[in-house]
Amino acid sequence: RMIMAPMTRSRSDPTEHKANELMAQQYSQRASAGLIITECTMVSPKTSSFFAEPGIYEDAQIEGWKKVTDAVHSAGGKIVLQIWHGGRTCPTDYNGQQPVAPSAITNPMPYHSATKGANTQYDEPRALTDDEAKAIVQDFAAAAKRAIAAGFDGIEIHAANGYLINQFLVPQSNKRGSDSHYSGESIETRARF
């Protein structure tokens, strides 16, 4: 037995971001691996980075995930939900709003856009207020509770690869001053998020 690492498949509905039958089939076919870690799943609305990745930011999304967890459990597997927030990697054309980040620093790497094609430049993010950052922390907690309600065996918090938590942790993308609870001036304050 082994662990199946998260792999973003972008197979959910791109407007409602609900898990669906295709996803239930995909994950259940891999249940014999032992433990499956799902693809990144949005904790907040309007934070899509991959166009059609799933969400767990509202109760209406629980039912689709229940189909997935039931299918995996019926096939003898265990499944963990990976939760995340893309931060500055959430394109405006996917979400209808400017992305957010610890600081207004654009991701310098181009990406392949589902709507604009290869080598698309990221949009400039807007810096979160401390209150907005605290609200996103609560979004993570609420998403974890929904994941439990959907039947997941555990939760993995995605804190790497240049997404929001990682953006708070590294000084290259967190330039918040000492007046912020999440200041970029020390690892202690950067890690508060």
Side-chain angles (χ1 to χ4, degrees):
R1 305 267 264 179
M2 58 184 204
I3 297 173
M4 186 179 111
M7 296 178 277
T8 301
R9 310 303 328 143
S10 296
R11 291 180 171 171
S12 77
D13 177 291
T15 55
E16 295 184 348
H17 298 281
K18 291 180 180 178
N20 55 41
E21 294 294 336
L22 179 61
M23 293 169 64
Q25 180 183 17
Q26 167 203 332
Y27 285 119
S28 66
Q29 288 171 340
R30 290 150 178 84
S32 64
L35 176 66
I36 297 170
I37 303 172
T38 70
E39 62 200 286
C40 56
T41 302
M42 297 180 289
V43 300
S44 304
K46 298 184 179 284
T47 58
S48 176
S49 288
F50 297 106
F51 189 68
E53 72 273 39
I56 192 77
Y57 52 80
E58 61 187 21
D59 290 346
Q61 293 162 326
I62 294 171
E63 198 56 41
W65 280 118
K66 277 185 181 177
K67 292 175 186 172
V68 173
T69 60
D70 287 348
V72 169
H73 292 149
S74 292
K78 299 284 187 189
I79 186 165
V80 169
L81 185 70
Q82 183 188 74
I83 57 176
W84 81 315
H85 188 297
R88 69 183 185 172
T89 69
C90 300
T92 301
D93 64 320
Y94 293 4
N95 299 294
Q97 66 183 25
Q98 185 179 17
V100 296
S103 303
I105 301 170
T106 305
N107 185 332
M109 301 299 295
Y111 71 103
H112 186 95
S113 169
T115 58
K116 297 178 182 176
N119 295 313
T120 301
Q121 296 301 309
Y122 281 102
D123 302 304
E124 181 178 346
R126 135 183 110 66
L128 289 162
T129 67
D130 277 7
D131 286 343
E132 288 172 322
K134 288 175 188 171
I136 293 172
V137 170
Q138 292 307 307
D139 288 348
F140 274 91
K145 288 177 184 174
R146 286 187 191 98
I148 292 166
F152 282 96
D153 298 299
I155 292 116
E156 178 185 85
I157 298 173
H158 192 339
N161 301 78
Y163 301 121
L164 188 65
I165 294 175
N166 185 239
Q167 292 163 27
F168 270 98
L169 288 172
V170 298
Q172 293 83 356
S173 54
N174 184 350
K175 301 291 186 186
R176 297 168 83 87
S178 59
D179 59 329
S180 172
H181 182 69
Y182 308 102
S183 168
E185 296 178 350
S186 71
I187 187 59
E188 291 79 16
T189 56
R190 291 194 308 271
R192 286 180 180 159
F193 184 84

